[in-house]
Amino acid sequence: EAGVTQFPSHSVIEKGQTVTLRCDPISGHDNLYWYRRVMGKEIKFLLHFVKESKQDESGMPNNRFLAERTGGTYSTLKVQPAELEDSGVYFCASSQDWRATYEQYFGPGTRLTVT
Amino acid sequence: RKEVEQDPGPFNVPEGATVAFNCTYSNSASQSFFWYRQDCRKEPKLLMSVYSSGNEDGRFTAQLNRASQYISLLIRDSKLSDSATYLCVVSPFSGGYNKLIFGAGTRLAVHP
């Protein structure tokens, strides 16, 4: 069974540009999460989808970030316009159920560098 | 104050050593507790869940003390392959949904 996949693996963009990250969860996983790790800091929660609905977006840093999950399958995270402090590794995770007893499986991450 | 605090290390130990990591969390309403492992430039992977009664998985033992809001991980007979960053992770009560709160991680380096 394929794991969580993310695209691209790396992205280097200039400040002010737009970048869209994609996450494909494990097939059948209704729950999809976005997290990010900025340099020297801990991994932080961004948001949680249940199917196509945003269940919790309390971790989204500001309105330059837009996450979507049309059709409840893959998800995209758009950063527009990108700022230097957005650099970091963006992880996507999926789980079969929202409860804590169900493991969240992480993708390999997208390393974003804003110059 | 950070929600989950860990000693960043690094812990440099020889093969065969026993090493212990500790972690504290600030939200007393936290419901679920985990240790994740992260290899360099890789994604975090669940190592084990942590239960109030304590639990063991091979060479790994995890303990939870809710009164002190303290979590520990003990690794016995360290292997070279145990070298990684160990992340203490807590899931708070937030309407029942399972967002994960990560510590910054403790780095372990096992040498021959």
Side-chain angles (χ1 to χ4, degrees):
Chain A
E1 180 185 293
V4 177
T5 58
Q6 293 187 245
F7 182 84
S9 56
H10 293 85
S11 180
V12 180
I13 62 170
E14 292 182 355
K15 178 182 170 180
Q17 289 186 321
T18 297
V19 64
T20 300
L21 313 181
R22 173 172 169 143
C23 168
D24 286 78
I26 292 171
S27 178
H29 282 194
D30 288 339
N31 293 268
L32 187 150
Y33 308 81
W34 283 99
Y35 295 86
R36 77 170 177 178
R37 184 173 208 159
V38 296
M39 181 79 77
K41 301 277 191 178
E42 63 275 18
I43 296 171
K44 289 212 165 193
F45 168 83
L46 296 178
L47 88 160
H48 171 205
F49 283 100
V50 178
K51 296 186 180 179
E52 67 276 5
S53 299
K54 290 177 187 174
Q55 194 59 53
D56 180 355
E57 51 185 329
S58 61
M60 293 289 264
N62 52 61
N63 59 11
R64 295 186 294 103
F65 289 76
L66 175 65
E68 294 180 319
R69 193 181 181 197
T70 307
T73 54
Y74 70 90
S75 173
T76 58
L77 180 64
K78 182 192 288 189
V79 186
Q80 180 183 30
E83 297 289 345
L84 298 178
E85 64 264 26
D86 300 332
S87 295
V89 182
Y90 290 76
F91 291 105
C92 175
S94 73
S95 69
Q96 194 174 356
D97 189 281
W98 57 264
R99 285 167 288 190
T101 48
Y102 288 80
E103 182 177 348
Q104 290 187 27
Y105 295 87
F106 283 76
T110 292
R111 188 171 296 274
L112 174 65
T113 302
V114 183
T115 63
Chain B
R1 184 186 170 188
K2 290 184 180 179
E3 291 186 78
V4 179
E5 302 237 32
Q6 293 182 251
D7 180 344
F11 284 62
N12 294 298
V13 304
E15 275 186 291
T18 295
V19 61
F21 305 137
N22 305 314
C23 153
T24 56
Y25 60 95
S26 60
N27 185 351
S28 60
S30 297
Q31 298 293 309
S32 303
F33 310 89
F34 312 92
W35 283 101
Y36 274 71
R37 171 194 168 126
Q38 186 174 25
D39 293 292
C40 188
R41 291 184 169 259
K42 298 285 189 179
E43 69 272 22
K45 290 186 178 178
L46 179 65
L47 178 66
M48 58 197 303
S49 300
V50 188
Y51 305 113
S52 296
S53 54
N55 48 300
E56 188 173 304
D57 182 2
R59 298 181 294 109
F60 299 83
T61 300
Q63 296 277 352
L64 167 66
N65 183 323
R66 283 188 181 267
S68 302
Q69 295 178 209
Y70 171 96
I71 306 162
S72 66
L73 177 68
L74 183 77
I75 304 176
R76 290 181 300 278
D77 189 23
S78 299
K79 311 290 184 192
L80 295 175
S81 57
D82 294 335
S83 297
T85 296
Y86 290 82
L87 305 169
C88 179
V89 182
V90 169
S91 182
F93 180 74
S94 58
Y97 288 94
N98 182 26
K99 73 179 184 184
L100 301 180
I101 308 295
F102 285 81
T106 299
R107 202 150 56 86
L108 172 66
V110 182
H111 58 83

